[in-house]
Every structure is written in C-alpha cells, then in structure tokens.
Amino acid sequence: MRFTLRRALAVGAMLAVVGVVTPTVAAYSQDDPRSCNDLLSADAPSYVMCQWLAKPEEALDVARFWAANDNANLKEAAPSEGHFLDCSAAGTECPYLEGDGTVGDENSPAPEGADDGGIPECEPGQQCSVDGSGEGGDGTVSRPETGTSASPSRTAAAQSFAPAAQDVTAAAQTPAGQAVTAAKATGVRVWLDTELADDWKAGTATFTAAVKRIGALAARPEVAGIRFTSQLGYNTTFTTDDEITAFVTAASTALRQAAPGKRLGLHTVVPELACGAEEACKTEMRKRYPLVIPEKVESLLSADRVDQISLDTGLLYGGYGTWKIDAEKAQRNQWIQVRARSWDVLAQIAAEETGLVGEVTPEQVAVRASTPVMDGAAQQVNLWTRVQNAQGAESRLTAWEELKKLTPIKRRLAAVYNPTAPEVDVTTDLKKIAEAFSQVYLTTA
C-alpha cells in the first residue's frame, strides 16, 4: 500500500501506514518515533508494522497549511507527472505479445478449428445440455456466481419480487419518487435508504410487498443503490447470528431480483475496532455486542451479499472513556483496524458520521469528514443532515460553508437526508446538498 505525502496531508489527515517488513527492520522500529505499532492488535503478525506519515499532533498544523487562504496551497498543488515509456522514441524497446496482435473478448468468434464442446441438445420448455450433460457440463448443476442476480432457475418465486410496469410508474408519483426526481435534477447520485428487517420478520407477504415497493423506486436509472438495513446486529432486532445471516441472504437475493444492477448496502457498528490494542476494551465490547464482532461482520462481506458497508462513528465520541481512549484515538484505531483487515477488497467501505449536526468548529468538520477517506480506510463518508434524539429534539447540519471547501473529496461525500422532514422544502434542500455533496441517501419507508 503506498500513499503520497501530498495526498496524505491534503486535508490534514492523521495517517498511519501498515506494511510488511523483515524481522531486522521490525527490531529497529521499536525505537522509531513515528511508529504506531502500539495500535496494532496483539495477534498481529510480527512482520506487520505501522508508521505515521503525519502524527496526530501534527495533523492540525497540516490541515491549516492546506486550508489557509481559501485552500490556496491545495489549489496550486498538482499531481505527479508520472513515468511513461514512449515506444515510438528512438532506442526504446517495448515488449510485444506474440501472435498476430488480434485482441478478442467473450463475444469474439472462436479461433478456426476450436472445439465448441458439442451441439446443444434442447427439448421444448427444458434446460439445454451439451452432449447429454447438464448445466455444469459434467452432469452437475451449476450454481450462480456469488453476489450476482442469477438464480439456479427462473422460478415463479424468483419472478415474484420483480415490480410490474404500472408499479414503477406509480412509484414515481409518490413523495419518495418525487424526491428521486428532484435529486436527479441536481446531478447527485441517489441511494435509497430503507429498513427491511422488520418486514422480513413480519413474514413472506409483508417482506415481498416491501421489496416490490423499493424495487419500483429503484427502477429509475438515477438510483445507484439500496441500503436495506441500519444498525444490523447492534440494535435489538436480531438476537442470533443465524437470524442475521438468513435476513441478509433473503434481502440480498430478493433485491437483486427486484432491482437488478443496483448496488446493495447495509449499515452497522463494530465497537471493538475502536479499542485498538487495548485487550480489556476488546473483551468488553465482544461481551456487550456479540453479533457485531469483526469476524462475524467480515463473514457477511465475504459472502458477497452486499456491495457496500457503512460503519457508524457515533460510539467513538465518548464510548471508550473507561480505557482512556478519547474520540480522536478511537476514530484512529477504528480506521487502522479496517485498513489492516483489507475490508475494502470485499466491499466499498463508508464512514457514517452523525456528529456534525449543530454547532461545530471548522477543525471538527475537516477532521471528521476527511480522516476516514484520507487515511485510506474508507472510500466515502456519509454525513447526516438531521439527527433527532430520544427526547425528540432535532439538530441539523449547519457547517455548509465549511463542507463546500472540501472540494478535493466532494465526490466521496454523501448526505443522508429524510425528504419527509425537510428544512425548507425537498427541492431547495437537495439543491443545497448538491453544493457540498456528490451523493444523497434518501430515507424511504
């Protein structure tokens, strides 16, 4: 993994690099003032090391440097020209592929003389086979690729989730559909943010109706994805691992049939990640939240049921005082752990940030909105535009001007917005959102 210093410091990120070193180098790293090996878990391999590119105490000065004079230094910065080889230049030798240079793909005709494996034998209304063998070619039944919308057979049950054409037309006229239309006009990418867990627990009929309703809304080309559950395993909706696995499997399968081609996501909290190397903290968090320990969350990602996972940061602010882990260190710990586990290989990682509503400082905006991305752990940050506490008190996002200054990462910023509780009206609100964000998650019942 490689980070350029310019990219790392662009918004004052507090960066650490996890790498692989020889035992000799690791021995010297113990005295390295820029080492952050203390943040690694006790079970981390000896050849893994962590090193700060910008130490926490340096982060604020770095952020101020790049943000000074309306981001003047950032605007003047330019990417490296890179190194390219001009094969037409005299004296330059470039490798060439053997053969006639013809390039083909899966749609290209087979080379002359190639064996096509037999003539398909098809009976009316039955599956085709080749040379008497079934779908797998050797008599075995093939399985769909994990994570795709394919199913073993196009049964009536599989088709039942697909919304009818009239349902798609009707969905466009609902408040949620009109919000999608308003979002499209601003140019932002749209995700539908819904909750299917209760519908799934209510039974097949309720679940099927909910999936069809969301599928009808998602049929619009401007809808990029569907987030179908929040606080999975953290709240009290489910009590066992089997329940969670069954729900995610059912929701993923149904939505890929109801809304083929749309990305699927879920939201959860993994409290243990913020403990870093503090074993007492990790033990307690595993005891409190047994359904969202890292290994169980990773198993959901490995099953290819979702394309994106949003990790909440709300617990980071005040949830770890017992172990003398402040909010800054908790956030740093979480993203180091996420990066070290390479979860971004399994799914897109998003940071869910609810703490920027109300009155906040420019430094808080810069750090909370950018650190997960600039640390290389998350690909985007989701900011809530409105938060309501248990007493019903409401706080809204106010740091619009500060967010507009984060132009270099605007494409990675998403707003979580509830069109049923607008600040002004849906159209006006979405225009304002588009000034600072490139994506919006529309809360949909």
Side-chain angles (χ1 to χ4, degrees), residues 307-339:
D307 308 298
Q308 182 191 87
I309 181 171
S310 300
L311 298 176
D312 204 291
T313 62
L315 194 62
L316 304 183
Y317 307 111
Y320 298 85
T322 302
W323 303 279
K324 295 181 172 56
I325 301 175
D326 60 20
E328 180 182 325
K329 187 174 182 180
Q331 181 166 194
R332 189 167 68 242
N333 287 347
Q334 172 164 295
W335 298 121
I336 286 177
Q337 289 294 323
V338 170
R339 187 171 63 247

Side-chain angles (χ1 to χ4, degrees), residues 205-341:
T206 302
F207 179 64
T208 300
V211 170
K212 282 186 175 182
R213 183 172 62 253
I214 295 301
L217 280 172
R220 308 272 293 276
E222 53 268 29
V223 174
I226 304 167
R227 185 162 72 175
F228 59 85
T229 191
S230 294
Q231 295 192 358
L232 181 68
Y234 180 78
N235 58 23
T236 59
T237 303
F238 298 108
T239 57
T240 68
D241 297 327
D242 290 342
E243 272 191 308
I244 290 177
T245 300
F247 163 64
V248 172
T249 300
S252 174
T253 301
L255 288 170
R256 292 200 189 281
Q257 295 164 3
K262 306 300 180 179
R263 304 179 67 199
L264 301 182
L266 61 81
H267 165 278
T268 191
V269 188
V270 189
E272 181 185 331
L273 297 178
C275 294
E278 181 58 58
E279 293 299 326
C281 172
K282 292 163 66 175
T283 299
E284 180 61 25
M285 290 303 174
R286 281 177 171 256
K287 184 187 303 181
R288 291 184 192 176
Y289 310 105
L291 299 181
V292 284
I293 63 175
E295 294 82 0
K296 293 180 179 179
V297 173
E298 184 167 318
S299 70
L300 294 176
L301 302 180
S302 298
D304 289 340
R305 297 297 181 185
V306 295
D307 308 298
Q308 182 191 87
I309 181 171
S310 300
L311 298 176
D312 204 291
T313 62
L315 194 62
L316 304 183
Y317 307 111
Y320 298 85
T322 302
W323 303 279
K324 295 181 172 56
I325 301 175
D326 60 20
E328 180 182 325
K329 187 174 182 180
Q331 181 166 194
R332 189 167 68 242
N333 287 347
Q334 172 164 295
W335 298 121
I336 286 177
Q337 289 294 323
V338 170
R339 187 171 63 247
R341 294 171 186 275

Side-chain angles (χ1 to χ4, degrees), residues 84-94 96:
F84 300 94
L85 189 64
D86 184 0
C87 295
S88 64
T92 301
E93 294 184 4
C94 295
Y96 290 95

Side-chain angles (χ1 to χ4, degrees), residues 17-374:
V17 172
V18 177
V20 178
V21 296
T22 63
T24 304
V25 175
Y28 286 105
S29 69
Q30 301 300 321
D31 300 323
D32 186 354
R34 307 196 74 80
S35 172
C36 51
N37 288 339
D38 60 305
L39 300 177
L40 297 176
S41 299
D43 57 353
S46 60
Y47 54 80
V48 175
M49 62 168 287
C50 177
Q51 187 175 44
W52 294 109
L53 293 184
K55 299 177 71 174
E57 58 268 23
E58 301 167 349
L60 184 57
D61 290 337
V62 171
R64 286 172 174 165
F65 171 80
W66 289 106
N69 300 321
D70 193 26
N71 299 322
N73 291 324
L74 188 60
K75 293 175 182 177
E76 293 176 1
S80 170
E81 295 182 357
H83 299 282
F84 300 94
L85 189 64
D86 184 0
C87 295
S88 64
T92 301
E93 294 184 4
C94 295
Y96 290 95
L97 296 175
E98 296 182 359
D100 60 4
T102 301
V103 178
D105 57 22
E106 68 273 15
N107 297 315
S108 302
E112 184 177 351
D115 184 4
D116 63 6
I119 300 174
E121 302 170 359
C122 304
E123 294 294 333
Q126 302 295 323
Q127 295 283 350
C128 290
S129 63
V130 176
D131 289 343
S133 297
E135 295 179 35
D138 58 356
T140 61
V141 178
S142 61
R143 295 178 178 269
E145 291 187 21
T146 304
T148 71
S149 58
S151 57
S153 62
R154 293 183 177 274
T155 64
Q159 292 296 316
S160 67
F161 290 109
Q166 60 267 30
D167 294 333
V168 175
T169 302
Q173 305 307 315
T174 64
Q178 292 172 359
V180 172
T181 300
K184 176 187 178 182
T186 67
V188 297
R189 299 178 73 230
V190 178
W191 277 71
L192 301 180
D193 190 12
T194 192
E195 182 57 73
L196 291 179
D198 293 332
D199 297 305
W200 181 76
K201 294 188 73 175
T204 301
T206 302
F207 179 64
T208 300
V211 170
K212 282 186 175 182
R213 183 172 62 253
I214 295 301
L217 280 172
R220 308 272 293 276
E222 53 268 29
V223 174
I226 304 167
R227 185 162 72 175
F228 59 85
T229 191
S230 294
Q231 295 192 358
L232 181 68
Y234 180 78
N235 58 23
T236 59
T237 303
F238 298 108
T239 57
T240 68
D241 297 327
D242 290 342
E243 272 191 308
I244 290 177
T245 300
F247 163 64
V248 172
T249 300
S252 174
T253 301
L255 288 170
R256 292 200 189 281
Q257 295 164 3
K262 306 300 180 179
R263 304 179 67 199
L264 301 182
L266 61 81
H267 165 278
T268 191
V269 188
V270 189
E272 181 185 331
L273 297 178
C275 294
E278 181 58 58
E279 293 299 326
C281 172
K282 292 163 66 175
T283 299
E284 180 61 25
M285 290 303 174
R286 281 177 171 256
K287 184 187 303 181
R288 291 184 192 176
Y289 310 105
L291 299 181
V292 284
I293 63 175
E295 294 82 0
K296 293 180 179 179
V297 173
E298 184 167 318
S299 70
L300 294 176
L301 302 180
S302 298
D304 289 340
R305 297 297 181 185
V306 295
D307 308 298
Q308 182 191 87
I309 181 171
S310 300
L311 298 176
D312 204 291
T313 62
L315 194 62
L316 304 183
Y317 307 111
Y320 298 85
T322 302
W323 303 279
K324 295 181 172 56
I325 301 175
D326 60 20
E328 180 182 325
K329 187 174 182 180
Q331 181 166 194
R332 189 167 68 242
N333 287 347
Q334 172 164 295
W335 298 121
I336 286 177
Q337 289 294 323
V338 170
R339 187 171 63 247
R341 294 171 186 275
S342 300
W343 280 1
D344 62 311
V345 175
L346 305 176
Q348 183 188 44
I349 308 300
E352 194 89 356
E353 177 61 66
T354 61
L356 288 180
V357 294
E359 296 301 320
V360 293
T361 66
E363 288 79 10
Q364 287 176 319
V365 175
V367 170
R368 294 186 185 183
S370 66
T371 296
V373 169
M374 304 309 293

